[in-house]
Amino acid sequence: MTKSSERVVAYQEAVNPAEVRLAAMNLLARREHSYKELQRKLFRRFNDREVVEIQVRRLADENLQCDRRFAESFVRQGVFKGHGPVRVRQDLRQRGITETECEQAITACEVDWISLAEEVFAKKLGAMVSADLKEKARRARFMQYRGFYQDHYQHLLE
């Protein structure tokens, strides 16, 4: 080790677990976070991965952080934004939620995806029926982008 690297190592401050916990609690007070999401945000702020991991695990054990609760909240937000089940599931997976938890959260929200697709379609594309194939393809791409299965919107294109 060179002298400059020794100084850098000596300069790193020890991370106070109470600070990590407080930062995590502040994040959770604003909204639900997934385990992975909370870890990632804390890793950016604190340089000790072990302390961050321990504190996030403690919060999960104390049920202050819960992936199930986060997933159900996230599904409701997605429905409010007009997102379909494919997009909601994909966004949940990116936030570290398992496929099983995704499926449980989507089922728990009891959403009528067909009527949601009809609302989104009418709001964005109107009620006019288009005979033009190019326009039908554009509308189908929009609905796919929003995360709906073809079964949810196919009847709207005809």
Side-chain angles (χ1 to χ4, degrees):
M1 244 207 253
T2 66
K3 288 184 180 184
S4 62
S5 63
E6 288 176 21
R7 279 184 253 152
V8 170
V9 171
Y11 180 72
Q12 286 182 340
E13 298 176 28
V15 175
N16 183 354
E19 284 182 41
V20 175
R21 183 177 174 86
L22 180 62
M25 295 289 286
N26 286 337
L27 289 169
L28 289 170
R30 290 186 200 111
R31 70 170 178 86
E32 293 285 344
H33 286 72
S34 71
Y35 190 92
K36 182 179 173 183
E37 194 177 38
L38 190 59
Q39 268 186 327
R40 189 177 52 227
K41 286 184 178 187
L42 293 170
F43 285 156
R44 280 187 266 163
R45 185 169 166 193
F46 299 101
N47 60 1
D48 191 341
R49 288 187 173 280
E50 185 178 339
V51 172
V52 169
E53 178 67 34
I54 290 168
Q55 292 305 315
V56 173
R57 196 173 318 119
R58 273 187 59 203
L59 290 169
D61 291 344
E62 295 168 6
N63 204 26
L64 296 172
Q65 184 283 322
C66 177
D67 279 348
R68 180 192 47 77
R69 214 171 37 232
F70 166 77
E72 289 175 4
S73 171
F74 194 87
V75 171
R76 285 190 300 273
Q77 289 173 10
V79 168
F80 181 73
K81 292 177 184 176
H83 294 167
V86 176
R87 179 138 179 212
V88 169
R89 183 177 285 112
Q90 179 183 2
D91 289 346
L92 283 170
R93 297 284 304 181
Q94 288 177 342
R95 285 162 176 79
I97 304 300
T98 65
E99 188 62 38
T100 305
E101 290 170 327
C102 290
E103 198 57 46
Q104 289 172 350
I106 289 171
T107 304
C109 285
E110 298 177 359
V111 177
D112 182 1
W113 296 108
I114 293 174
S115 59
L116 180 62
E118 290 170 353
E119 287 175 31
V120 169
F121 189 89
K123 184 176 180 181
K124 175 70 176 181
L125 305 169
M128 288 181 28
V129 177
S130 176
D132 184 16
L133 284 176
K134 190 174 180 180
E135 180 62 19
K136 282 183 179 181
R138 185 183 74 80
R139 291 175 179 209
R141 279 192 310 275
F142 170 75
M143 295 304 286
Q144 288 171 345
Y145 167 76
R146 280 306 194 89
F148 291 99
Y149 290 111
Q150 192 172 6
D151 297 348
H152 296 151
Y153 64 85
Q154 187 63 43
H155 67 283
L156 301 169
L157 299 174
E158 298 167 356

